[in-house]
Amino acid sequence: MRFPAEPFRIKVVEMLRRVTREEREQAIREAGLNIFAVPADTIYVDLLTDSGTAAMSDNQWAGIMLGDESYAGSRNFFHFQSVVREIFGYEHVIPTHQGRVAENLLFSTILKRGQVVPSNIHFDTTRANIEHQGAEAADLVIDEGLDPYALHSFKGNLDPAKLERLLTDRGAANVPLVMITVTNNSGGGQPVSMANVRAVRQVCERHGVPLFFDACRFAENCYFVQQRESGYANKSVTEIARELFSHGDGCTMSAKKDGLVNMGGFVALNNAEWTQQLTNLLILIEGFPTYGGLAGRDLEAVARGLREVLNEDYLAFRIGQVAQLGELLEHAGVPIVVPVGGHAVYIDARRFLEHVPQSQFPGQALVVALYREFGIRAVEVGSLMFGHKDAGGRDVFPQLDLVRLAIPRRVYTTEHMRFVADSVIQLHREREKLRGLRLTYEAPVLRHFTARLEEIGPAPAAVPDAGRPGHELRSRA
Ligand code: P70
């Protein structure tokens, strides 16, 4: 397939430092084979996350200079509020410094112990904020959404039958709201269809339960609706977004994704009583309601970013760039989750490294090798992140060991993506050389952030390069 070229030109550049394999070997070793502990300036292509890593536009930077840093009533807040109202259609707009605070405000206010919040798949911070209230987070994605190889245009859909069952079993009084995550990050960045949103809305209405969105990647989701869902080809992505949110009662958003900023978020909702409660908590933990933990200039950048992200030339390039990386890998026989989602390509590490058992962290072994050999940072979403011991002290592993290559917005060129593809393909050819890992330190919770590991067996020899040098001086072992 042909993919659109960059619909922008580059006005500011950030030089990358040359780093040798020896330096990387030392950095990853000192980091205890934990990619979170590696200094970012030793990385060539950083695909750890698409969150807070976007390049802002000249228009956003110009907006930064128009920041009004008044404690109360900043003009940038009113601009931000009007843009959020226009796109999302919700009356009340509460700024926060990032997505998890939006979630915290919402769930600390409206959620009670013992209640349950269903979603397609809750993102980790959403789940943690729900569980922190002594409540339960239920993942009700369609079955195809859990199968890495099932082909479905909207693998992020929430199963309305599962929702109906949950609401009937638990009673609507125990479900303060239903949430839909667009796109479904934890399921591979897969989109949700408008038909599904309507079906979920109907179930919610029958039971009298409000519907909220986790809107982090709403523009990417709406672009997929335009491209894949019948009846939407002639609608603009902005119109599609308005329709999507019109089926709900509110949303939380980390603007660090489709807000095209490095920091920011919000809650938007129609319920005035909830708004008052959220606002009281906001003042306690984030700041005055017209800045919510952000500078006036940051609010201006979000306001402008939310408009820019709906530009369809941008979206065609964005979704195309991710799809292209997926296509290059798939054609070379690298096992990836299909169809490719909106913001990332996920490698199936169990299939990639068939000789490394799950107890030896195949995903993390791949992450370490990608960094050591090519200077690429990916993130493990598998047995290191989700594995734990059960009550009997036995290891429990997740079904999948994935490695996520998340693509920052407007940051890397297509040539960077080719370099990533060639590197992964080269590693795939040499996969027998990779060894499993074992833990030498693990924290009791969220162990992947601080874990330390070591290689099982002798240190691996360098993998020959992919014939497409990255920005490095290679010296071979
Ligand atoms: C990511 C980051 C954040 C996120 C999200 C959804 C659907 C809420 C939030 C929280 C987190 C991450 C993961 C690995 C490495 C670095 C960062 N997702 N809802 O990359 O938003 O971070 O602003 O509090 O995806 O997926 P916030």
Side-chain angles (χ1 to χ4, degrees):
M1 217 183 124
R2 279 193 59 75
F3 297 96
E6 285 78 356
F8 48 80
R9 55 183 177 176
I10 297 164
K11 183 155 18 200
V12 177
V13 292
E14 180 183 359
M15 290 302 288
L16 297 167
R17 201 164 71 80
R18 277 181 191 271
V19 179
T20 62
R21 186 181 186 278
E22 283 72 28
E23 271 182 82
R24 291 195 299 265
E25 171 73 43
Q26 194 186 339
I28 191 75
R29 224 152 262 300
E30 281 172 9
L33 307 189
N34 187 331
I35 204 72
F36 283 97
V38 166
D41 73 351
T42 66
I43 291 162
Y44 177 49
V45 181
D46 196 350
L47 307 182
L48 179 68
T49 176
D50 65 320
S51 178
T53 52
M56 290 208 293
S57 66
D58 51 358
N59 172 53
Q60 284 174 296
W61 281 109
I64 292 269
M65 287 307 291
L66 299 176
D68 166 3
E69 305 308 337
S70 306
Y71 188 95
S74 158
R75 67 170 167 257
N76 311 115
F77 171 75
F78 296 114
H79 182 205
F80 165 78
Q81 183 186 49
S82 72
V83 172
V84 173
R85 279 183 178 157
E86 192 186 309
I87 297 171
F88 297 81
Y90 304 128
E91 176 61 20
H92 307 289
V93 182
I94 300 171
T96 62
H97 85 272
Q98 64 183 93
R100 67 197 69 181
V101 182
E103 294 156 13
N104 185 284
L105 292 176
L106 183 66
F107 293 125
S108 323
T109 308
I110 60 118
L111 186 59
K112 296 192 184 66
R113 181 166 286 280
Q115 291 189 322
V116 52
V117 181
S119 183
N120 37 1
I121 304 184
H122 287 281
F123 182 68
D124 315 22
T125 56
T126 321
R127 168 174 288 276
N129 271 300
I130 290 167
E131 291 173 353
H132 189 62
Q133 300 302 321
E136 186 191 328
D139 294 336
L140 306 181
V141 72
I142 55 169
D143 292 343
E144 291 90 334
L146 297 170
D147 175 353
Y149 302 103
L151 290 174
H152 188 294
S153 300
F154 293 99
K155 260 172 117 167
N157 285 352
L158 193 161
D159 191 328
K162 291 182 190 170
L163 180 62
E164 180 70 52
R165 220 172 304 135
L166 182 136
L167 284 164
T168 308
D169 289 353
R170 304 288 286 260
N174 290 312
V175 183
L177 57 83
V178 171
M179 203 145 195
I180 299 181
T181 309
V182 291
T183 57
N184 189 28
N185 183 15
S186 305
Q190 302 291 334
V192 176
S193 72
M194 195 71 80
N196 184 250
V197 171
R198 278 196 297 266
V200 169
R201 178 67 185 180
Q202 275 175 12
V203 177
C204 288
E205 266 175 7
R206 241 194 336 270
H207 292 265
V209 175
L211 175 62
F212 271 61
F213 292 92
D214 177 334
C216 288
R217 299 177 178 87
F218 77 98
E220 290 167 7
N221 197 96
C222 292
Y223 182 76
F224 279 120
V225 168
Q226 186 196 56
Q227 298 299 306
R228 295 182 181 175
E229 190 163 353
S230 77
Y232 289 93
N234 296 322
K235 294 218 160 91
S236 73
V237 177
T238 304
E239 286 169 329
I240 295 169
R242 284 204 197 100
E243 181 185 336
L244 181 86
F245 294 114
S246 76
H247 295 302
D249 304 284
C251 68
T252 57
M253 165 120 187
S254 166
K256 298 170 72 171
K257 287 80 172 172
D258 273 350
L260 296 176
V261 292
N262 307 117
M263 198 53 75
F266 59 86
V267 189
L269 71 172
N270 286 331
N271 184 323
E273 201 185 309
W274 284 8
T275 302
Q276 201 167 51
Q277 295 171 28
L278 263 75
T279 304
N280 292 340
L281 185 58
L282 177 83
I283 294 171
L284 184 70
I285 64 172
E286 277 281 271
F288 190 73
T290 61
Y291 73 83
L294 293 167
R297 55 178 171 269
D298 297 333
L299 289 165
E300 187 61 32
V302 178
R304 293 177 184 221
L306 287 172
R307 283 201 202 285
E308 287 177 18
V309 81
L310 291 164
N311 177 305
E312 296 184 15
D313 287 335
Y314 158 75
L315 282 168
F317 163 72
R318 160 72 177 164
I319 299 299
Q321 189 182 43
V322 179
Q324 181 176 20
L325 175 60
E327 192 181 281
L328 290 168
L329 294 178
E330 208 183 353
H331 279 176
V334 177
I336 61 166
V337 174
V338 286
V340 173
H343 67 295
V345 174
Y346 292 72
I347 301 170
D348 182 346
R350 288 181 73 183
R351 281 214 189 160
F352 194 109
L353 294 179
E354 272 166 344
H355 62 288
V356 178
Q358 264 194 305
S359 59
Q360 296 180 12
F361 308 108
Q364 188 65 11
L366 186 50
V367 166
V368 169
L370 268 173
Y371 172 71
R372 178 157 47 205
E373 303 303 333
F374 304 104
I376 297 165
R377 174 154 70 173
V379 69
E380 192 252 21
V381 185
S383 39
L384 182 60
M385 192 178 274
F386 298 123
H388 59 273
K389 294 206 188 301
D390 67 11
R394 279 176 300 269
D395 283 317
V396 183
F397 298 113
Q399 198 186 333
L400 296 172
D401 257 87
L402 301 177
V403 168
R404 184 180 80 167
L405 305 166
I407 317 299
R409 295 171 180 78
R410 308 191 292 206
V411 169
Y412 293 114
T413 63
T414 301
E415 205 56 31
H416 282 116
M417 292 301 110
R418 285 188 202 281
F419 169 75
V420 172
D422 288 346
S423 302
V424 174
I425 292 164
Q426 183 64 21
L427 210 54
H428 190 237
R429 284 199 198 106
E430 309 269 335
R431 60 190 178 275
E432 261 99 72
K433 289 188 186 163
L434 270 60
R435 298 181 183 285
L437 312 177
R438 70 175 147 244
L439 280 162
T440 59
Y441 166 75
E442 68 178 301
V445 285
L446 294 172
R447 66 177 180 183
H448 54 287
F449 288 121
T450 52
R452 294 185 71 83
L453 304 102
E454 65 185 11
E455 230 128 24
I456 298 170
V463 166
D465 74 33
R468 181 188 291 278
H471 191 66
E472 59 188 313
L473 293 169
R474 289 187 66 93
S475 53
R476 284 157 197 284

